Amino acid sequence: QVRLVESGGGSVQAGGSLTLSCEISGYNVNKYSMAWFRQAPGKEREGVAALYIPGSRQYYAGSVKGRFTISQDIATSTLYLQMNSLEPEDTAMYYCAADLGVLPSTIGLMKLSDFGNWGQGTQVTVAA
């Protein structure tokens, strides 16, 4: 079991940038595949970006490709989500998630059910 704590959220103007961080603590934290999800008011939680640790494979939702970058710092057990060219549609609560059992064949789908460890979220608000 691991603990995840997100930070870095805030309010920015459209076109701006923001970097989210997710500090991970627990047992064998660097063996966990990681992902960022987001949930806007009245909408279901959706996958944004995922990282499969064994091959460092990155996956992105079509809506954020080219604008967001997921990365990790193994030394500090921190997951990042660099967000550029932010749009009002990016406004949501952003959550980081982790799991040891995510398969390479499914991680790109960013299924909620594949991740058993979640942070409490950090709010991102993008003004038009």
Side-chain angles (χ1 to χ4, degrees):
Q1 195 83 326
V2 297
R3 182 180 178 83
L4 302 89
V5 181
E6 303 96 334
S7 63
S11 299
V12 298
Q13 294 290 323
S17 299
L18 207 59
T19 298
L20 306 182
S21 299
C22 177
E23 296 183 358
I24 312 161
S25 61
Y27 186 67
N28 288 331
V29 296
N30 292 322
K31 292 184 178 180
Y32 284 73
S33 289
M34 306 289 298
W36 286 97
F37 289 78
R38 67 185 182 186
Q39 186 169 22
K43 297 184 178 180
E44 296 183 0
R45 193 169 299 187
E46 63 176 352
V48 176
L51 186 66
Y52 186 70
I53 301 302
S56 298
R57 296 180 178 182
Q58 301 174 28
Y59 304 86
Y60 298 95
S63 60
V64 306
K65 286 183 178 179
R67 299 190 297 119
F68 291 11
T69 302
I70 187 172
S71 63
Q72 66 169 335
D73 186 330
I74 298 178
T76 60
S77 298
T78 304
L79 182 74
Y80 298 98
L81 182 67
Q82 181 180 342
M83 305 182 293
N84 298 320
S85 300
L86 284 164
E87 305 168 352
E89 292 74 20
D90 295 317
T91 295
M93 183 71 75
Y94 283 71
Y95 302 87
C96 60
D99 206 282
L100 285 171
V102 184
L103 300 175
S105 60
T106 60
I107 190 170
L109 299 177
M110 290 179 275
K111 295 180 177 180
L112 291 173
S113 60
D114 281 348
F115 294 87
N117 302 280
W118 295 82
Q120 293 301 304
T122 184
Q123 179 67 39
V124 172
T125 301
V126 184

